[in-house]
Amino acid sequence: MKMPLMKLIYLAFLFIPLRIQLCHGQAQYDDYDDPAKAAPPPGQDNCNGVFMSYAFTSRNRELPHVKNVTAQSWAFKSIATIINSGTEEVKGWKMSVGFHHREILVAVSNAVVVDGGDLPLAVGNGTIVAGYPMTDLKTSIDTAGDYNQIAVQVEFTGTMFGLQEKVIPMPKTISLANEGWKCPKVTKYTTYMHTCCKKDPKFKGKPRGKYLPKQYGDLNIMYDVMKSYEGSYEAQVTMDNNNPLGRLDHWNVTWEWMRGEFIYSMRGAYTHRIDYSDCLYGIAGQFLKDFDFTQVMNCQKRPVITDLPATRANDSNIGKIPYCCRNGTLLPPLMDESKARSIFQLRVYKLPPDTSKTVLYPPQRWNVTGVLNPHYKCGAPMRVDPTEFPEPTGLQATTYAVASWQIVCNITKPEKKKTKCCVSFSAYYNDSAIPCSTCACGCDDVDTDKCNPNGRTMLLPADALLVPFENRTAKAKAFAHLKHRPVPKRMPCPDNCGVSINWHVNSDYKTGWTARITLFNWGETQFEDWFTAVEMKKAYPGYEGVYSFNGTKLNSVKNKNTLFFQGLPGLNFLMGEVNGTKINDPRVPGKQQSVVSFTKKQTPGINIRHGDGFPTKVFFNGEECALPDDFPRSAGHISQASITAVISIAILTFLLMTDRFL
């Protein structure tokens, strides 16, 4: 049976080793005499850029074997190849892979997953991997065609679900994720795809020096090697908060050592676990047999690092460095520029074969978290020009780091039902308040047999917002009976949020209107130097002032039409929940409240009763809060559904009356 030409080419590509795997120890003339040398992958010879390919290699059915196709898991393996076939070096290469079969990555070689946590990691919505340890792809011109410097292969091993046995699970697409590159639509075959990415001629951010230029991030982290020794080095970590709504409270920083390193000592921070047993029983103990590990701070592959408390700021052993020791608080520069930076230092020991002074690798897979703060997504470390520092003794000179890497972290929108705060709406023209959505902050710790996690929230009288959820049930049922509304057999589950914010339209008159904002803290932890922000798409130009808070208008690219509120001196604490006055009284939340005034002069046509007076986004300490599904309607505002219902009733009444007189 004859086979199509492209299938023959594809089979040759799969079963003959790629040129990247050839041995280059022989003389160059050997290439002409060896008929076993493989041809390049289809499409590579015509690529003047970055050639990328993805080849599916195998799939095996995993245990347990089930009849349900969508529930059956399969172990898969695949290989991605990235080759710099152009004339410009690719610094800090990143590859986007459009997985879409509920894949779970178990292992990745020659790269690290940028947008995720520890392996195994669910990547069913696609993922980005960055090169490690080879982060840059040099050109064939600069390396005399050395494939070890211009190309890399990434092997993926993982699990996927929901496919029949004969279906080949290929990703939707592959592309170079570096800024300033364009990739055309991929060319697909049964188990293989490829594309050729080229530099965007319109891109202005072209690198001028040896390393990549520094990039903007909501949270910018610098990993600077300050001193390098044989077998160890001293590094400084600097975190800068650049976003007006970014914030961290009691921050924790984690990363992953990829080459057996360990932390000997630290200043300005400490690891949650102080233990050297992993070194004694691990690779470090095998290589450093005469080393005294008793003074080692931490030997974990993924240490958890946190800021020192203020009481240790002047400790001569672990403190006494600038921008440290604030109990993990990192404020927006708008609130206090001196508290928008955190610094800590560490001594790192390396293992063979990396003991040379010039062999330096930063830790990978960075993650930064806070108590009730935005979720940051951190990229892979990028080598940048060495950081400059003022000469420490005061001379008019500049010192430089030995080597520097930048880690860019950006705020991401929280997933539905995974936020940490929520919003309720109410208005003077409607006696029904709309509470926070059901399970707004998740229902993982709730017995969903006793409540409905998907149930619609019940409207409440305004005073019910002042008591904890467990004390609202009776009020909600009584209010429903009063308003002749149905009461579900299974009541909706609580919102489970530690902080809620009520936005109440307080008044509406000819020349302006007012709103009242109230912050509730339903947890026991108090918040110092709190802030909240509201996005008012239509009402923003008419903002006049806020009475009990400090108010600032923000209108940057990332924070358009946003009002920023913070507590006045002496009112900058949002206290935690406390017991009621009497034994049977409900617990009382911590509360802060103020009235916000607006003028209509700058916003002609604004309709407060039709929703223009309610925010489209609300933030607390940088975390975006869950909004209700609706806003209070006025008696004069009848929805289309209501109009349809009225017309239907009128027609039905007319027909009944007509039938009566016939």
Side-chain angles (χ1 to χ4, degrees):
M1 182 179 68
K2 294 183 179 180
M3 296 183 68
L5 177 61
M6 287 311 301
K7 284 191 176 182
L8 288 172
I9 295 174
Y10 163 69
L11 288 172
F13 166 70
L14 276 186
F15 292 103
I16 301 176
L18 292 174
R19 288 193 298 181
I20 190 174
Q21 297 173 322
L22 297 178
C23 176
H24 297 281
Q26 301 177 24
Q28 60 177 338
Y29 304 105
D30 290 351
D31 288 345
Y32 295 99
D33 301 327
D34 188 356
K37 294 291 185 181
Q44 182 188 334
D45 278 348
N46 298 323
C47 179
N48 184 10
V50 176
F51 179 80
M52 310 187 77
S53 66
Y54 180 96
F56 175 79
T57 57
S58 67
R59 183 174 65 155
N60 298 306
R61 196 176 184 185
E62 293 180 338
L63 295 174
H65 295 171
V66 296
K67 294 182 179 180
N68 186 350
V69 175
T70 60
Q72 179 61 57
S73 61
W74 298 81
F76 77 94
K77 290 186 178 182
S78 58
I79 298 175
T81 305
I82 306 98
I83 305 172
N84 187 359
S85 302
T87 58
E88 184 174 329
E89 182 178 355
V90 182
K91 298 179 183 294
W93 69 265
K94 292 182 288 187
M95 181 183 188
S96 175
V97 184
F99 291 120
H100 62 115
H101 296 294
R102 294 159 57 196
E103 289 91 346
I104 298 174
L105 283 184
V106 176
V108 181
S109 69
N110 297 323
V112 292
V113 180
V114 173
D115 51 351
D118 297 335
L119 296 177
L121 180 68
V123 294
N125 292 323
T127 191
I128 295 176
V129 296
Y132 184 86
M134 194 170 87
T135 58
D136 303 334
L137 298 176
K138 298 185 180 297
T139 67
S140 183
I141 298 170
D142 294 335
T143 62
D146 184 356
Y147 262 66
N148 291 323
Q149 298 186 62
I150 70 171
V152 65
Q153 277 192 329
V154 180
E155 296 182 3
F156 296 102
T157 302
T159 294
M160 59 177 56
F161 292 86
L163 292 175
Q164 295 181 356
E165 189 170 357
K166 295 183 180 180
V167 176
I168 304 299
M170 294 292 287
K172 288 182 179 179
T173 187
I174 55 173
S175 63
L176 189 67
N178 293 57
E179 192 176 13
W181 290 81
K182 284 188 173 182
C183 301
K185 187 177 180 180
V186 296
T187 302
K188 294 183 178 180
Y189 304 106
T190 307
T191 60
Y192 174 74
M193 62 171 58
H194 69 80
T195 187
C196 178
C197 303
K198 296 184 178 181
K199 197 74 174 178
D200 184 359
K202 297 181 180 179
F203 181 67
K204 297 180 180 180
K206 295 181 179 179
R208 298 179 180 178
K210 185 178 179 181
Y211 304 108
L212 286 169
K214 291 182 180 178
Q215 299 181 7
Y216 171 85
D218 293 328
L219 180 68
N220 179 59
I221 304 176
M222 292 300 301
Y223 189 84
D224 296 308
V225 175
M226 309 300 288
K227 297 179 181 179
S228 184
Y229 312 100
E230 198 71 19
S232 69
Y233 64 84
E234 294 178 13
Q236 177 170 291
V237 177
T238 305
M239 297 191 296
D240 286 308
N241 181 13
N242 298 321
N243 192 305
L245 299 184
R247 180 187 177 122
L248 286 168
D249 293 288
H250 305 287
W251 55 255
N252 285 325
V253 176
T254 61
W255 60 57
E256 184 171 330
W257 296 116
M258 307 296 288
R259 308 180 72 84
E261 302 97 329
F262 60 89
I263 300 173
Y264 184 81
S265 60
M266 300 186 76
R267 296 180 74 92
Y270 66 100
T271 57
H272 281 207
R273 178 179 174 181
I274 300 177
D275 180 24
Y276 60 88
S277 58
D278 287 348
C279 286
L280 283 179
Y281 300 108
I283 299 176
Q286 298 174 18
F287 281 109
L288 307 176
K289 295 182 179 180
D290 298 327
F291 191 87
D292 181 11
F293 288 103
T294 59
Q295 302 301 313
V296 170
M297 174 174 278
N298 184 276
C299 296
Q300 289 176 289
K301 186 178 180 66
R302 285 191 65 84
V304 181
I305 300 166
T306 194
D307 193 15
L308 286 172
T311 54
R312 306 301 291 271
N314 294 320
D315 190 307
S316 57
N317 294 320
I318 59 175
K320 285 195 172 182
I321 63 171
Y323 302 104
C324 90
C325 316
R326 290 194 291 260
N327 207 26
T329 298
L330 199 64
L331 297 179
L334 181 66
M335 293 183 70
D336 189 338
E337 198 164 348
S338 67
K339 293 183 179 180
R341 167 176 285 189
S342 285
I343 290 179
F344 62 90
Q345 299 170 347
L346 63 159
R347 178 76 177 267
V348 179
Y349 273 81
K350 306 179 293 180
L351 301 180
D354 302 334
T355 54
S356 172
K357 297 177 184 178
T358 58
V359 177
L360 299 167
Y361 292 99
Q364 300 288 318
R365 299 173 66 181
W366 289 63
N367 189 33
V368 183
T369 59
V371 175
L372 200 161
N373 301 125
H375 177 262
Y376 289 94
K377 181 179 175 181
C378 298
M382 302 181 303
R383 185 76 181 266
V384 294
D385 290 330
T387 304
E388 299 179 5
F389 297 94
E391 205 280 329
T393 64
L395 295 175
Q396 296 297 312
T398 302
T399 62
Y400 293 85
V402 176
S404 298
W405 287 266
Q406 182 191 27
I407 300 93
V408 175
C409 303
N410 288 312
I411 296 173
T412 61
K413 184 179 178 66
E415 297 179 28
K416 190 174 182 180
K417 297 190 176 184
K418 288 189 178 181
T419 185
K420 300 172 186 174
C421 56
C422 63
V423 180
S424 61
F425 286 157
S426 56
Y428 75 93
Y429 53 78
N430 192 320
D431 59 358
S432 298
I434 301 178
C436 290
S437 302
T438 303
C439 297
C441 297
C443 276
D444 294 339
D445 299 326
V446 174
D447 185 358
T448 53
D449 291 334
K450 297 181 179 179
C451 64
N452 187 355
N454 300 312
R456 188 175 180 84
T457 54
M458 296 182 65
L459 299 180
L460 300 172
D463 64 315
L465 298 176
L466 302 174
V467 297
F469 184 88
E470 56 266 23
N471 300 104
R472 296 179 187 174
T473 304
K475 288 179 176 288
K477 289 182 177 179
F479 193 64
H481 289 306
L482 180 66
K483 296 294 182 179
H484 306 290
R485 298 189 185 110
V487 177
K489 292 182 180 179
R490 195 158 57 118
M491 297 291 284
C493 293
D495 54 72
N496 298 311
C497 296
V499 171
S500 66
I501 298 173
N502 173 249
W503 183 269
H504 177 80
V505 174
N506 208 37
S507 66
D508 182 17
Y509 46 94
K510 185 177 180 180
T511 59
W513 62 283
T514 61
R516 184 181 67 237
I517 182 171
T518 308
L519 283 66
F520 297 99
N521 182 3
W522 303 100
E524 296 182 355
T525 303
Q526 66 181 20
F527 295 95
E528 183 181 3
D529 294 324
W530 59 267
F531 75 81
T532 186
V534 294
E535 181 187 83
M536 307 292 295
K537 283 188 175 179
K538 294 185 178 180
Y540 174 83
Y543 170 72
E544 282 189 321
V546 60
Y547 295 97
S548 303
F549 302 158
N550 272 329
T552 305
K553 296 178 75 172
L554 304 178
N555 203 14
S556 62
V557 175
K558 285 197 170 186
N559 308 116
K560 290 184 177 180
N561 306 320
T562 301
L563 304 176
F564 182 93
F565 303 131
Q566 60 178 309
L568 294 168
L571 298 173
N572 60 332
F573 276 86
L574 181 59
M575 305 304 292
E577 191 181 55
V578 295
N579 291 324
T581 306
K582 298 179 181 179
I583 296 177
N584 295 324
D585 285 351
R587 287 174 63 81
V588 180
K591 187 172 68 172
Q592 289 282 1
Q593 186 180 81
S594 183
V595 173
V596 189
S597 63
F598 296 84
T599 178
K600 293 182 179 179
K601 186 176 180 180
Q602 307 296 331
T603 54
I606 191 169
N607 194 327
I608 303 304
R609 294 189 176 213
H610 284 214
D612 293 348
F614 291 95
T616 50
K617 287 183 181 180
V618 178
F619 302 85
F620 177 77
N621 280 2
E623 172 82 353
E624 186 173 347
C625 305
L627 294 177
D629 297 329
D630 203 356
F631 59 87
R633 310 277 178 168
S634 67
H637 180 74
I638 303 177
S639 65
Q640 185 66 39
S642 300
I643 294 173
T644 304
V646 170
I647 293 173
S648 300
I649 292 171
I651 293 173
L652 181 61
T653 303
F654 174 76
L655 292 173
L656 289 172
M657 291 179 67
T658 304
D659 182 63
R660 180 181 176 183
F661 289 105
L662 286 177

